Amino acid sequence: MRPARMRKLRAVILDEKMDNVVRELHEEGLIELCDLTPKLEDPEWADLLSPSTPAPYIRDVSALLIKTNRFLDLFDSVKSKDEKGLKELLNPTLPPKKRITFSSADEIISYGRSLLEKVETDVKELADRLNELEGRINYLQQLRRYIEYLIDLDIDLEYVKSGPYTYVVVGLVPEDKISQLKERIFSTTDNLSEVIEGEPVITSENERKVAVILVTLKEYRDSVSGELRRSGFERIDVSNLKGTPKENLEEIDREIRECKGEKENILDRLREMANKWYKELLVLHELLEIEKERAESYTYYGRTERTYMLEGWVPEKYVDRVKATIERASQGYGVVEIVEPDEPEEKIPVMLDNPKPVKPFEMLTEMFAPPKYNEVDPTMLIVPGFLMFYGIMLTDTVYGLLLTILGLFVWKKLGKVSEGAYNIGYILTLAGIATVIAGIITGGYLGDFLKQFLGFDIYKTPLALVNPLGDSLYIGESNPLFNLGSVSINNGPIAILLFSIVVGIIHLFIGLVIGFKENLEKKGFKEAFLNQGIWLFLIIALAVGVITNTPCLIGGAVVVVILLCMVKGYMSGGILDAALGAMDITGFLGNVLSYARLLALCLATGGLAMAVNIMAKLLGESIPVVGILLAVIMLLIGHTFNFVMNGLGAFIHSLRLHYVEFFGQFYEGGGKKFCPFKAKREYTTVS
Amino acid sequence: MVFENPLLLGAIGAGLAVGIAGLGSGIGAGIAGASGAGVIAEDPSKFGTAIVFQALPQTQGLYGFLVAILILFVFKSAPEWAMLGAGIATGLAGLSAIGQGIASSAGLGAVAEDDKIFGKAMVFSVLPETQAIYGLLVAILLLVGVFGNSPGAAAIAALGAGLAVGFAGLSGIGQGITAAGAIGATARDPDAMGKGLVLAVMPETFAIFGLLIAILIMLGMMF
């Protein structure tokens, strides 16, 4: 019930053997390395050790990694969209793993080099040409846009060039400035100029502009350029073009078509290359990433002239394995020391250690916060409560079956590639089974579907124990369960409410007992009694009072508890806190009443399902012919909606009861998760 | 009794249940939806997440609808004042959806930044639903006839029970604001979850007072 016990492992290893040790530890993945750098600030340590730098092969590895990424990006950009069919999406397959036998970074580097060389010879020419074509297409498209603006000017562009005495420019002018520009130009050039205008066009920036050709004498070039700049003239370069704009457009279109054709061709060939190399590049990428991580891990170690020292956390049960690994990998040139944790609690990493059937529920614990190293691991305690609450809140046999199927699917199919899906699927499957059980007890089969459509009232048969909306054969007006004081437990809702409250009190009691034990061990009896003991006393007094039917016992206990809370408040902060302490009992009451949501949500599912059935029946009966079709659609949509909404609600409210009410009694959390030094292999395997 | 047709007060109760709860849910879903639209504009793949968070404040409307159906079709023989009380309880408590909308929109914003916080944001966003659940709870208790045999005018006390839990349910708005803040804190520091929950549950105290008084009224009627 506690996180796995940890040991600190220290090892000093001969430098020649170090790389082998790092490699083996990385594959094994059972140690979390500690960074020694902060320790080296201590002068005593600094005398012995100096900081270490990344392994020398990191430069080659990083360079190759960049190159690999470039090729992968290229292939990603040309690859036709992976048609991941629905089938693949619903039933993903794991990528095949390649067996790897490299035993040193150098081998991987030389393998990477030769592989990248091969890829490069295959791809380089194509990639360069592709770049060139893309540049050309861009240029042509730009040019085409400009020439389109000139289409009105039916002039051979070959003549639109400056001659020995003339200066000619082509370009666009904003429409509203054209007349002003013309005036200015005529005045600066003494009317020795000509301006040819086209029709106004709307440019891609959504401005109205006019294409103009301006001809003037060379000596006016500078003054005219100044005028043009002032009026926002945009020059178009036509110096390499021949023929009219119309002819040019045709020519450009033809060339764009050609370029695109060639580009398609090249893309096809690149795709072929991608099929050939992509997987191998992924393998190489993974290998290089792993090497990089190894090389970088050296910054964690300290070094002497001929040795490295490493420090790390190892779960107690793996200590012997890790020790043996280090001794084997260093061929005896290493010393290993294992000590009890010598650091404060919050520095020790936390690894939850639950048996396999409970393991997926660790997700729920971690969602709140992983426990501190010396705290209780509440995962085991969550399981029964969570499933039971979920079942009670969803309470419908058919919804439960649906949920079980959904959960199995997520667990078995999607869970293959994602750990999160595996955990969720597992939890939902169990929650589904719990819902089926709760559904059978309360006789919920799509709400009251049987009664509405088949006229079969399950609550008049012995098949259902309790009716959340009224009487059943076992619990009803004529057949009350028992009388509690003067309240008769004579219908379904009241019975479920009583059950919810009792379950809530038991749940809180368990939490309080654990908290009491924890506090007793760590802080002594006084803390344990003030924080948990008071409420334990109250619950016990309540139980005894109800069983023996002595209300005055309960009343007395409540008064004692209020007084104790005031004492507790007074001890922590004087009179004001004492007054506040008296209110503690409402907090406790709130915790207990909060469990009443079990009834409310249980009834909400059944009630909404019934509402759907009623509406569908009304539709079916009131509209002829198509009514039946509408009723079926109503049933499908309505029940799906109800299932999703209440399925989600049951999950979160179940969690809430644990996080707020249950954890509030004993659990704080806030530990640091154990994060082992481990090679992530998705496309490769070493065994 | 005051009205000859017992379903008359029931009909008013059903209308209030759907109407007021629908108002709350509408505002809440609107607040969450506005945040959702912003998130989707940045990352269209978050559509599903946005829908889930927007669905949370809609449950209050559903509870209102549920109680209306229960009043009109199932507990037709319940005392008429209990019907009205049930409708008012569910309706007013349904206004907690406004708070839930505020919390959901903060939750959605946090999840848009970091997927991993989904579960935590969900837990916080669902806190202000407690008030609506208490309202639903009291409505059910009223309808199943804890007042079954009370004589005449005494049954009007059912209205008091409904008002108590209904108005106390407005504490959900405050709780939503606290929860939204706590989501922000948790997004910055995941370890703040436990303490954030303690703070966010604080405004619930008043909903519990309301529930307590409602239950006392009902018990008082029975003894």
Side-chain angles (χ1 to χ4, degrees), chain A residues 10 274 348 398:
Chain A
R10 292 202 185 94
I348 308 173
V398 180

Side-chain angles (χ1 to χ4, degrees), chain A residues 157-399:
Chain A
L157 294 173
E158 203 182 353
Y159 304 133
V160 190
K161 271 178 198 135
S162 303
Y165 306 109
T166 54
Y167 171 61
V168 182
V169 281
V170 188
L172 297 174
V173 183
E175 198 189 5
D176 48 343
K177 297 214 173 124
I178 183 82
S179 49
Q180 195 189 355
L181 176 71
K182 265 158 88 180
E183 249 171 56
R184 290 262 185 85
I185 283 175
F186 288 136
S187 68
T188 47
T189 58
D190 300 328
N191 284 341
L192 290 175
S193 51
E194 183 68 49
V195 174
I196 305 162
E197 281 176 60
E199 292 290 311
V201 289
I202 291 163
T203 64
S204 48
E205 287 91 34
N206 226 349
E207 291 165 294
R208 286 179 72 83
K209 291 197 170 179
V210 178
V212 284
I213 301 174
L214 172 79
V215 187
T216 185
L217 285 177
K218 260 221 160 122
E219 49 261 48
Y220 296 121
R221 178 182 177 149
D222 290 341
S223 52
V224 164
S225 297
E227 287 300 333
L228 289 175
R229 250 197 316 279
R230 265 191 288 281
S231 54
F233 179 82
E234 190 185 345
R235 199 186 150 128
I236 298 172
D237 185 13
V238 292
S239 52
N240 302 321
L241 301 175
K242 284 179 188 166
T244 61
K246 213 170 177 183
E247 285 162 9
N248 264 295
L249 270 189
E250 277 160 23
E251 175 65 19
I252 289 169
D253 282 343
R254 193 186 55 75
E255 202 181 336
I256 289 180
R257 264 200 306 281
E258 258 172 36
C259 285
K260 281 195 170 155
E262 194 184 342
K263 187 179 155 191
E264 268 314 306
N265 203 357
I266 285 179
L267 282 179
D268 275 343
R269 280 170 62 199
L270 274 175
R271 258 174 229 133
E272 261 169 52
M273 290 299 139
N275 284 340
K276 185 170 159 198
W277 295 115
Y278 195 72
K279 282 193 182 122
E280 287 200 50
L281 283 177
L282 282 178
V283 169
L284 179 63
H285 184 261
E286 184 170 294
L287 289 174
L288 290 170
E289 284 283 1
I290 290 171
E291 287 308 315
K292 195 171 163 212
E293 206 180 334
R294 284 175 186 165
E296 281 168 351
S297 77
Y298 276 75
T299 56
Y300 279 51
Y301 314 138
R303 68 167 305 167
T304 67
E305 207 170 308
R306 285 303 309 274
T307 62
Y308 284 96
M309 172 169 168
L310 74 82
E311 218 180 75
W313 295 105
V314 182
E316 192 184 16
K317 58 178 175 180
Y318 298 133
V319 159
D320 291 335
R321 253 172 84 183
V322 175
K323 191 174 172 189
T325 305
I326 294 179
E327 275 160 5
R328 191 183 64 241
S330 63
Q331 290 161 327
Y333 292 97
V335 189
V336 181
E337 183 194 39
I338 287 156
V339 292
E340 288 283 317
D342 54 353
E343 287 184 47
E345 187 190 3
E346 60 270 17
K347 289 256 175 88
I348 308 173
V350 169
M351 186 179 91
L352 299 184
D353 187 21
N354 288 296
K356 207 171 168 240
V358 180
K359 203 143 190 72
F361 285 86
E362 285 176 1
M363 192 183 102
L364 302 181
T365 306
E366 278 167 12
M367 199 193 284
F368 185 82
K372 289 203 221 80
Y373 180 67
N374 282 324
E375 217 176 359
V376 176
D377 169 10
T379 310
M380 273 296 204
L381 300 165
I382 291 181
V383 180
F386 182 84
L387 293 179
M388 182 170 148
F389 295 163
Y390 194 102
I392 295 175
M393 290 191 210
L394 196 57
T395 22
D396 194 288
T397 317
V398 180
Y399 291 174

Side-chain angles (χ1 to χ4, degrees), chain A residues 435-497:
Chain A
T435 309
V436 170
I437 296 170
I440 290 173
I441 291 174
T442 57
Y445 299 85
L446 287 181
D448 61 347
F449 187 84
L450 299 176
K451 186 181 163 198
Q452 292 280 351
F453 292 94
L454 307 175
F456 173 69
D457 190 350
I458 194 156
Y459 300 113
K460 293 210 169 74
T461 70
L463 289 173
L465 183 62
V466 50
N467 177 1
L469 286 172
D471 295 355
S472 72
L473 209 60
Y474 301 100
I475 302 169
E477 199 93 45
S478 52
N479 187 17
L481 201 57
F482 54 84
N483 288 321
L484 191 72
S486 55
V487 184
S488 170
I489 308 299
N490 63 359
N491 58 40
I494 299 291
I496 297 176
L497 178 64

Side-chain angles (χ1 to χ4, degrees), chain A residues 58-76:
Chain A
I58 191 159
R59 288 181 63 184
D60 288 335
V61 168
S62 303
L64 287 176
L65 202 54
I66 291 171
K67 229 171 167 183
T68 314
N69 277 332
R70 218 167 42 222
F71 283 127
L72 281 174
D73 286 347
L74 174 71
F75 287 151
D76 276 333

Side-chain angles (χ1 to χ4, degrees), chain B residues 139-178:
Chain B
I140 293 162
L141 293 179
L142 286 172
L143 289 178
V144 293
V146 281
F147 287 90
N149 309 316
S150 328
I156 298 178
L159 200 56
L163 287 172
V165 78
F167 276 115
L170 293 178
S171 61
I173 300 175
Q175 188 167 32
I177 295 170
T178 325

